Amino acid sequence: MFIQESPQQTLKESSSFTVAKFGGTSVADFQAMLRCAHIIKNDNSNRLVVVSASAGVTNYLVRLSKKNISVVEQTEIITHIGTIQFNITQHLSNVIVQTLNAEITALLDELSVHALKQSQQYSAKQGDAILSFGEQLSSRLFAQVLQSIGVNSAYFNVQQVMKTNSLYGKAVVDIEQLASACSEWLTPKFTKQVIVTQGFIGQDGLGETTTLGRGGSDYSAALLAEALNANNLAIWTDVVGIFTTDPRITEQARAIKEISFGEAAEMATFGAKILHPATLIPAMRKNIPVFVGSSKEPEKGGTQIKQVVASSPTYRSIALRREQTLVTVKSPAMLHASGFLAKVFSILAKHELSVDLITTSEISVALTFDNPSGSTQALLTSAVVQELEQLCEVTVEHGLSLVAVIGNGLDSAKGIGQSIFNTINDVNIRLICHGASANNLCFLVDEQDANNVVEKLHNELFT
Ligand code: ADP
Ligand code: ASP
Ligand code: MG
């Protein structure tokens, strides 16, 4: 099928400015991209489009960025990525397909060079260069799909404005520089064109490619919305909004019509994959409402995330974060002593590890870490454990999941613990954090119990 619809649309002035982000499944193939292109075309306020890599591509790139990948495997992976992307170009008109295919081939060749270098001499820097190709490819394709339905659109390299430090795998963006670079390079373009750019990637002071962490395109879009003073941020994904829990876990999960920034931020922090954990920080700073909806079913509406909402229920949702590691450090020297925790944390800080939950007793401390496979960030390695062992006795447990009940007044409402823990009294609970926040109560369970716990709790608290 070759698409070439109406002649180029001339852009009408719109008083509202929306940054629209499309996730991996939304740009997975040509049909998905076409649906998203129509979403942009149908609402003139959409001026900046931020895209993720086509579904599956970043996972392939993560494999490619690892140590010791054979040349045969490299070729195989790059061929798979090429197939996903060329399957999209074949639907576009002959006029552009040749140029576009040449562009993609050139990118894939560049990717092979990086992959070869990486297998010869591994570096985290090279790893980020490799990971960036997914978004580089999908953004070029999406700009052409928009053109094909008559939207005057252009590709923009986000690295021109998204300047970061050199923490490869989890780079930190220079927000001030982003704002000034956006006014200089991006704002002037919006009167004429819809701009399509990449989520997830940036560039450090050395001109090297960086990435913001897995799932980071949501965060990129929010940072751009903030820098551009957008009126709205729309996150288009594969579900019709934010649900009371992951709809993949229970069919009972229902979409939430509106939710406060604080509640949604808690959900994201505690693992609701729907939003990257940092997404709402820029939106909150500038009070930019965020919409979450399905690019497959835009007519079904979605969730509005905003500062003030009509209701603040005790229970809003349940989030689940898998692949947690629990580290217990124990030292009799801790009894009546000061400075032990500071020493533990300085080791963790040196290795750029961040702790999620913490509970302490007289002589021991339990800490949890997010340790997902496929992550590009610093993980708890045996080197860290060895360093901690110089200080104290260390026990490491993997295979745990963090369940977080999110809501309002959870630190003070009566009977909360009873309702929650009575429901799951047959489950082994490894650690509980309650009281530090009014908005969450969290605990750790074995990975194999996690879905069951969420389902049961959801039944008890939401139906
Ligand atoms: P994208 O590629 O669009 O960024 P993600 O896969 O990162 O999409 O996020 C969408 C997925 O998040 C959904 O398919 C759903 O399974 C999962 N998810 C987890 N928790 C929730 C929740 N509370 N509400 C909706 N979706 C959730
Ligand atoms: N493509 C990146 C990832 O898969 C970023 C994103 O999708 O948000 O992690
Ligand atoms: Mg995502």
Side-chain angles (χ1 to χ4, degrees):
M1 175 180 54
F2 297 116
I3 301 279
Q4 191 71 55
E5 281 186 16
S6 53
Q8 296 257 307
Q9 184 190 34
T10 32
L11 297 169
K12 287 181 231 103
E13 281 288 314
S14 167
S15 56
S16 183
F17 180 107
T18 301
V19 172
K21 178 259 171 176
F22 294 104
T25 43
S26 300
V27 292
D29 54 33
F30 177 73
Q31 292 306 335
M33 280 199 181
L34 192 58
R35 280 193 295 269
C36 298
H38 280 288
I39 290 174
I40 297 302
K41 188 176 182 178
N42 290 342
D43 179 352
N44 201 31
S45 74
N46 289 309
R47 316 302 308 146
L48 178 67
V49 178
V50 177
V51 292
S52 291
S54 300
V57 170
T58 309
N59 286 346
Y60 278 129
L61 293 169
V62 167
R63 272 175 58 197
L64 204 57
S65 69
K66 298 273 183 237
K67 277 180 200 155
N68 309 325
I69 295 282
S70 71
V71 176
V72 174
E73 216 177 326
Q74 286 170 28
T75 314
E76 238 174 60
I77 292 173
I78 295 170
T79 307
H80 283 309
I81 296 174
T83 307
I84 295 173
Q85 310 292 224
F86 290 123
N87 276 344
I88 297 175
T89 61
Q90 61 163 319
H91 294 276
L92 292 161
S93 85
N94 287 333
V95 186
I96 55 133
V97 84
Q98 255 182 336
T99 334
L100 193 55
N101 279 349
E103 243 181 289
I104 291 172
T105 306
L107 279 171
L108 294 176
D109 289 345
E110 213 184 305
L111 176 61
S112 310
V113 174
H114 281 292
L116 193 62
K117 277 197 204 157
Q118 183 74 328
S119 62
Q120 287 160 351
Q121 193 175 12
Y122 173 87
S123 75
K125 179 166 82 182
Q126 185 88 246
D128 266 11
I130 292 175
L131 289 182
S132 73
F133 278 82
E135 275 72 9
Q136 291 194 48
L137 289 158
S138 63
S139 53
R140 282 174 170 87
L141 293 169
F142 191 76
Q144 288 303 334
V145 174
L146 269 175
Q147 287 279 358
S148 76
I149 61 161
V151 177
N152 187 1
S153 60
Y155 160 92
F156 179 80
N157 181 358
V158 84
Q159 293 181 303
Q160 208 175 329
V161 296
M162 196 67 78
K163 303 295 177 186
T164 72
N165 66 6
S166 300
L167 191 57
Y168 301 108
K170 201 190 178 186
V172 179
V173 175
D174 183 334
I175 294 163
E176 273 171 30
Q177 210 180 340
L178 176 65
S180 63
C182 277
S183 330
E184 188 175 351
W185 303 108
L186 267 174
T187 308
K189 297 185 188 293
F190 295 127
T191 47
K192 298 195 196 76
Q193 286 174 312
V194 171
I195 302 299
V196 181
T197 198
Q198 310 80 40
F200 183 53
I201 69 178
Q203 188 181 59
D204 69 8
L206 307 166
E208 303 288 349
T209 296
T210 54
T211 64
L212 312 187
R214 292 303 308 266
S217 297
D218 299 327
Y219 183 44
S220 303
L223 285 169
L224 287 161
E226 176 189 35
L228 291 160
N229 289 314
N231 305 94
N232 294 292
L233 167 64
I235 306 276
W236 293 101
T237 178
D238 58 358
V239 282
V240 296
I242 299 184
F243 282 62
T244 45
T245 195
D246 188 342
R248 283 187 210 170
I249 299 180
T250 168
E251 282 176 4
Q252 302 293 321
R254 16 174 238 273
I256 301 168
K257 273 285 141 218
E258 56 165 39
I259 183 168
S260 69
F261 279 133
E263 291 167 319
E266 292 269 334
M267 288 181 74
T269 308
F270 285 106
K273 195 181 167 228
I274 185 88
L275 290 176
H276 178 275
T279 311
L280 294 170
I281 299 169
M284 286 158 94
R285 279 195 294 251
K286 284 264 176 88
N287 194 11
I288 302 168
V290 180
F291 167 84
V292 179
S294 163
S295 64
K296 238 182 182 166
E297 302 170 296
E299 70 291 347
K300 289 204 170 155
T303 302
Q304 290 291 346
I305 312 173
K306 46 191 191 169
Q307 202 164 44
V308 182
V309 289
S311 72
S312 303
T314 305
Y315 301 114
R316 180 61 98 180
S317 66
I318 304 172
L320 176 64
R321 194 152 78 187
R322 300 181 202 274
E323 297 183 83
Q324 301 299 293
T325 296
L326 177 68
V327 175
T328 311
V329 291
K330 190 172 167 189
S331 167
M334 208 177 140
L335 193 66
H336 307 308
S338 58
F340 175 75
L341 268 185
K343 284 183 199 147
V344 169
F345 275 91
S346 75
I347 293 174
L348 300 175
K350 193 174 88 192
H351 292 275
E352 281 155 4
L353 280 166
S354 76
V355 173
D356 291 322
L357 302 184
I358 171 165
T359 58
T360 66
S361 76
E362 267 298 333
I363 60 156
S364 61
V365 185
L367 312 154
T368 71
F369 297 88
D370 199 23
N371 237 12
S373 47
S375 167
T376 53
Q377 300 158 206
L379 297 177
L380 187 83
T381 55
S382 49
V384 184
V385 175
Q386 272 165 22
E387 213 168 320
L388 288 171
E389 275 168 347
Q390 309 282 313
L391 207 64
C392 52
E393 206 180 301
V394 184
T395 322
V396 181
E397 288 172 66
H398 295 287
L400 297 163
S401 287
L402 173 71
V403 179
V405 176
I406 288 144
N408 299 280
L410 290 172
D411 54 342
S412 52
K414 287 202 177 89
I416 296 287
Q418 212 175 354
S419 321
I420 293 174
F421 295 113
N422 277 357
T423 315
I424 48 167
N425 58 10
D426 53 340
V427 173
N428 178 22
I429 293 168
R430 287 294 294 107
L431 176 150
I432 300 173
C433 273
H434 183 205
S437 158
N439 302 110
N440 70 66
L441 182 157
C442 341
F443 52 92
L444 278 185
V445 295
D446 284 339
E447 194 85 60
Q448 70 263 26
D449 292 330
N451 278 18
N452 189 20
V453 164
V454 172
E455 208 174 340
K456 271 188 167 170
L457 265 184
H458 190 274
N459 251 342
E460 171 68 21
L461 307 178
F462 293 92
T463 52

